[in-house]
Amino acid sequence: MVRLEHHEERWPVLGWRQTPTDVADRTWREAMYRLTPVDGSFMIFRGLGSGQSLQMMWDTRGGSPTLWMEQTGSAGLDVTLEQAEEAVAAFVDTGESILEEFGELTRV
């Protein structure tokens, strides 16, 4: 089981949303694709048993939106939505990050 926390920058008055999501439940996917690609919108997936996390944030400072994704320990990289979906699905299933499969991770 993971806990999904997210902040929709387009609607800052809504603040944080926390939704417990069962491993077999794919409601996180719909929330992920609905996250507005504007600077500051983010999601955090927390493994309730493992203490590990996977987070993603939209960044529009360079003009067009890019999706930054990082794992516990603050190492990450820019990903496509499809890669983000694959990474979250693996994290929900195993509690482990597969981000290094998409390229070299950068420490922040």
Side-chain angles (χ1 to χ4, degrees):
M1 178 176 277
V2 297
R3 172 145 298 140
L4 167 62
E5 303 171 26
H6 69 279
H7 175 74
E8 179 64 66
E9 188 60 34
R10 196 176 84 181
W11 307 105
V13 72
L14 294 176
W16 284 88
R17 295 285 180 234
Q18 294 183 352
T19 308
T21 304
D22 191 289
V23 169
D25 189 317
R26 303 251 320 173
T27 57
W28 58 264
R29 184 183 183 280
E30 181 179 347
M32 187 186 85
Y33 276 94
R34 286 184 174 209
L35 189 66
T36 306
V38 297
D39 206 33
S41 289
F42 64 87
M43 297 188 127
I44 303 171
F45 302 89
R46 297 187 193 277
L48 296 181
S50 68
Q52 300 292 312
S53 65
L54 193 62
Q55 49 194 5
M56 55 191 270
M57 181 180 79
W58 283 106
D59 182 2
T60 57
R61 291 173 288 177
S64 61
T66 57
L67 186 58
W68 173 261
M69 190 165 230
E70 67 184 46
Q71 60 193 20
T72 303
S74 299
L77 72 165
D78 289 327
V79 296
T80 66
L81 271 172
E82 293 77 18
Q83 289 171 322
E85 180 180 355
E86 184 179 343
V88 173
F91 183 74
V92 170
D93 288 345
T94 67
E96 300 293 326
S97 170
I98 63 165
L99 289 182
E100 51 282 333
E101 292 180 16
F102 304 130
E104 186 174 340
L105 302 183
T106 302
R107 284 220 172 274
V108 290

